[in-house]
Amino acid sequence: MGNSSKLSLALVGLILGGSLVGCSDGRAGAQDAAKQLASAVAALDVAAVPFEGKDSGAANEQLKEVFKALDPAKPSVVTGELKLDKDTATIPLDYSWKIGTGEWKYTTFAQLKKSGDKWLTVWNPASLVPELADGEVLGTMSQSPARADILGAGDAKLVTYRPVVNVGIDKPRLGTADPAASATRLAQLVGADPAAYSQQVAAAGAEAFVPAITLRQDGQSITDDQIAAIPGARAIADSLPLAPTRTFARALLGTVAEANAEQIEKSGGALKAGDTTGTGGLQQQYDAQLRGTDGIQVFAEKAGLSAEERQGLLNGGRRGLFQVEITPGTALKTTLDPALQQLAEDVLGKVAPASAIVALRPSSGAVLAAASGPGSNGYDTAMLGQYAPGSIFKIVDSLAMIRNGITPDSIVECPATLSVDGRTFKNAEGYPAASLGSVTLRDAFAHSCNTAFINARDTVSQAQQESAATSLGVAVEAPGLGAGAFLGSVPGTAEGTEHAASMIGQGKVLMSPLSAAIMAGSVAKGAPVSPQLVLNPNAGDDATRAAGATAEPTATSAGPASSAPAPAKASGTPVTAAEAALLSDMMRAVVTSGHAGFLASVPGAPVGAKTGTAEFGKDDPPKTHAWIVAVHGDLAVAVFVEDGGLGATTSGPLLKEFLTAAG
């Protein structure tokens, strides 16, 4: 091909290219402008968007005012197919908002106009919300459902709405009275801090009612006349989700109150100011299930309405745009027996240190009572406590020994003292001399001979001990529990004095009162007990702890708890009915011939028990935790007192009182 031909082709290409450029309809520029608009609206900031007929700053202020009621929500905005007509273009904008539990979707249209080489957006409020006019903004109204109840055995209402009175100063009723004087008098009457309450009253608006305290309506000692005698003071009737008493299962159930700023911030939009929410225990864990979801309305209304004008529009004058239906909460069903729970709390009412009683039904695993005494100061000792179990752990040792061929009638050696790697072990104070020397395993168990069980350390490995513990449901996951709990921890490896200590429930062995009751219950059932407490956990709940999860190690007054390993998925080799029968025989001997003879008078089915005294700390003599576990028909109970001395003398009488009254 000659040079002239190459030149002709080049010219054709140039002409064609020039034609394409010349025929450009500006679609690319319009699309870029549309995308900029969509992105800016999604960010709720159009200050950088050039508008036709509207200052960008003014447009931005109006947009923020329109959507202010939806704060902090922001929309997703996606552009649709652009339609071009010379120097104008129309673009669909597909909006999607997350409003409560609902999704509000709609489509608007924006118009663009070309001005010189720029595309400008024609300002129109209807591009933000369909048919929105100038001078209109969005408004919202939400309605919260009543909180659902927490139920116990037989659907007894453990937590339900109960009448209360909000006592406070109603500032419009003060008249000429001194607000500070009235606030001080009311605070003194109800036991509030006078200085702090006076400040609250002073800071509140002129129309405010400033609550000082909320009191249960039944049983309150403050009279209407006492309140009425204080200028501006008033009692307003209300109702709140409450347990039967202020202390009833409080650590386990948790409480309900108005959400604080921290809870609102952490909720990810689920909570807002004025909402009630659960704090601690099951109320917090199952908050979403119990709370339900708000009903929300979004509407268009005239901008700048006063509170009175807005109130007047409640029955009309607003254009509805979107609605999320109210969803009631679902009652939480538990196995707690209100009578046994109250009995356990009454029994512990006079105990000064941290304490607990856990009672469960071995046949089903149902937790009937999980009480933490007043000395626990609000901590859930019953479910979450982590303590050395002491001699109640000899139930585990005995199972391991039985599996090695020992029987309750086998002879074991019980010396007064025993030395292991330079550490001296001895029996508890007052150990009977008649049960020293060569005795049956039953006798050593009944009188809790430490040295006899430590003597078995060479025939019972730490791994066998761990296996025996899981066989009895200790340190095993509890998928049906539905509540945060410490399920026990038994190390699989330990040497020397640590292994010797674990033979008497010390060293690194840890149990909670719950896991102690599980252990005793597994003996009564003849199979591992898997506890259950919550019967209908909502799988979609925002529970902070999964059902049966092990709680984080928690410090107690006995010192910080060690970090315990996670529980086993399932029992290694489940205890058999034959093995359990031998253990039951020895637990009965604790009552018939051992140092829990005081339980022989408990009416009904024969009681089997095991006491435990666990040393802790570095005092000389060391302080001790007091334990006792028992089985009584289809009931297994663990009683624990922190720093309580001897299990038999401290926890034993509490157990007797509980079993006798439980019937």
Side-chain angles (χ1 to χ4, degrees):
M1 184 182 292
N3 285 340
S4 59
S5 300
K6 288 180 183 178
L7 182 60
S8 300
L9 286 172
L11 286 169
V12 169
L14 184 62
I15 292 164
L16 284 173
S19 300
L20 288 171
V21 171
C23 292
S24 170
D25 57 5
R27 180 174 295 272
Q31 285 177 330
D32 285 347
K35 285 178 181 175
Q36 181 193 7
L37 173 66
S39 177
V41 173
L44 300 184
D45 186 352
V46 294
V49 175
F51 288 98
E52 204 255 352
K54 185 85 169 180
D55 174 72
S56 296
N60 197 42
E61 289 303 314
Q62 189 173 345
L63 174 140
K64 289 183 183 301
E65 193 63 30
V66 164
F67 291 132
K68 184 178 179 181
L70 301 185
D71 185 62
K74 289 184 178 180
S76 160
V77 186
V78 179
T79 57
E81 186 179 346
L82 182 138
K83 290 185 178 177
L84 191 69
D85 183 12
K86 296 182 181 176
D87 288 345
T88 63
T90 304
I91 186 85
L93 298 175
D94 297 321
Y95 285 75
S96 175
W97 293 83
K98 190 174 182 337
I99 307 292
T101 57
E103 190 176 15
W104 181 24
K105 291 184 172 184
Y106 58 82
T107 299
T108 66
F109 294 88
Q111 192 176 25
L112 306 173
K113 277 190 178 179
K114 194 172 185 185
S115 175
D117 59 352
K118 270 188 169 185
W119 284 91
L120 305 179
T121 299
V122 178
W123 174 254
N124 183 358
S127 298
L128 305 178
V129 177
E131 299 179 22
L132 193 74
D134 253 327
E136 281 190 321
V137 296
L138 299 190
T140 62
M141 187 165 58
S142 65
Q143 184 181 4
S144 299
R147 193 173 182 87
D149 293 341
I150 297 182
L151 307 175
D155 286 348
K157 291 186 176 183
L158 302 183
V159 180
T160 191
Y161 276 87
R162 302 181 197 272
V164 297
V165 286
N166 295 313
V167 181
I169 297 295
D170 194 4
K171 292 189 77 171
R173 292 190 172 200
L174 276 167
T176 58
D178 177 19
S182 287
T184 300
R185 283 180 62 189
L186 184 61
Q188 289 169 340
L189 175 65
V190 302
D193 180 343
Y197 184 59
S198 294
Q199 279 189 326
Q200 283 181 285
V201 171
E207 301 298 313
F209 172 78
V210 188
I213 196 169
T214 299
L215 300 170
R216 288 173 181 262
Q217 207 167 67
D218 49 345
Q220 65 149 316
S221 57
I222 299 169
T223 67
D224 290 341
D225 288 344
Q226 286 174 303
I227 296 167
I230 300 170
R234 186 181 175 196
I236 300 176
D238 197 0
S239 62
L240 283 176
L242 297 172
T245 69
R246 191 180 65 83
T247 58
F248 182 90
R250 189 180 179 96
L252 175 60
L253 297 175
T255 56
V256 178
E258 190 169 310
N260 60 36
E262 184 181 358
Q263 289 169 322
I264 292 168
E265 187 180 343
K266 285 183 176 178
S267 74
L271 294 173
K272 62 184 184 305
D275 283 349
T276 55
T277 188
T279 299
L282 299 180
Q283 288 284 12
Q284 180 172 332
Q285 185 173 345
Y286 293 100
D287 188 56
Q289 174 174 335
L290 292 163
R291 193 175 70 241
T293 56
D294 289 354
I296 303 173
Q297 290 179 298
V298 181
F299 44 80
E301 66 178 13
K302 185 181 175 184
L305 292 175
S306 67
E308 291 77 12
E309 289 171 327
R310 188 171 284 110
Q311 189 69 27
L313 290 176
L314 284 179
N315 297 320
R318 289 171 158 174
R319 181 161 49 88
L321 300 171
F322 178 71
Q323 184 166 331
V324 177
E325 294 298 331
I326 194 168
T327 307
T330 301
L332 192 71
K333 296 185 177 183
T334 76
T335 58
L336 281 186
D337 181 303
L340 286 181
Q341 177 70 28
Q342 189 60 57
L343 171 61
E345 293 187 12
D346 291 344
V347 169
L348 294 175
K350 54 187 173 288
V351 179
S355 60
I357 293 178
V358 175
L360 56 79
R361 202 171 293 294
S363 59
S364 63
V367 176
L368 305 176
S372 300
S376 295
N377 295 318
Y379 184 68
D380 194 352
T381 303
M383 302 282 284
L384 301 175
Q386 297 186 30
Y387 298 93
S391 292
I392 62 169
F393 198 68
K394 288 171 184 167
I395 296 172
V396 169
D397 297 335
S398 297
L399 175 58
M401 293 165 75
I402 287 166
R403 288 178 170 178
N404 285 342
I406 302 292
T407 73
D409 293 310
S410 297
I411 301 300
V412 296
E413 294 303 315
C414 176
T417 62
L418 186 66
S419 181
V420 180
D421 294 344
R423 179 179 172 184
T424 300
F425 292 91
K426 60 181 181 179
N427 296 313
E429 291 295 325
Y431 187 86
S435 292
L436 290 171
S438 298
V439 297
T440 64
L441 176 62
R442 182 186 293 105
D443 195 19
F445 185 93
H447 289 97
S448 205
C449 177
N450 289 337
T451 57
F453 282 88
I454 294 171
N455 261 331
R457 70 191 182 283
D458 292 333
T459 55
V460 175
S461 70
Q462 189 70 32
Q464 286 176 320
Q465 194 181 48
E466 180 190 33
S467 176
T470 62
S471 297
L472 291 164
V474 176
V476 177
E477 283 186 356
L481 186 63
F486 176 68
L487 298 166
S489 174
V490 182
T493 57
E495 304 291 337
T497 55
E498 190 176 298
H499 177 47
S502 73
M503 295 297 293
I504 55 171
Q506 304 214 162
K508 290 186 178 176
V509 177
L510 294 170
M511 290 177 73
S512 62
L514 171 68
S515 60
I518 291 168
M519 175 180 67
S522 298
V523 174
K525 183 181 180 183
V529 167
S530 185
Q532 60 173 353
L533 174 67
V534 176
L535 299 176
N536 66 329
N538 187 334
D541 200 276
D542 58 355
T544 55
R545 294 176 292 199
T550 299
E552 289 297 310
T554 308
T556 71
S557 61
S562 59
S563 183
K569 294 286 182 187
S571 300
T573 308
V575 65
T576 65
E579 291 168 339
L582 297 177
L583 294 172
S584 293
D585 168 89
M586 295 198 295
M587 288 179 71
R588 180 59 181 158
V590 175
V591 177
T592 57
S593 63
H595 51 214
F598 53 84
L599 294 174
S601 62
V602 172
V607 177
K610 183 69 193 83
T611 58
T613 302
E615 297 179 352
F616 71 92
K618 296 181 179 179
D619 291 1
D620 188 15
K623 294 180 179 180
T624 54
H625 300 314
W627 290 88
I628 191 166
V629 294
V631 292
H632 184 219
D634 195 16
L635 190 66
V637 183
V639 180
F640 167 79
V641 179
E642 183 181 284
D643 191 10
L646 300 178
T649 56
T650 300
S651 295
L654 301 174
L655 173 67
K656 181 181 179 181
E657 184 182 347
F658 180 82
L659 290 180
T660 301

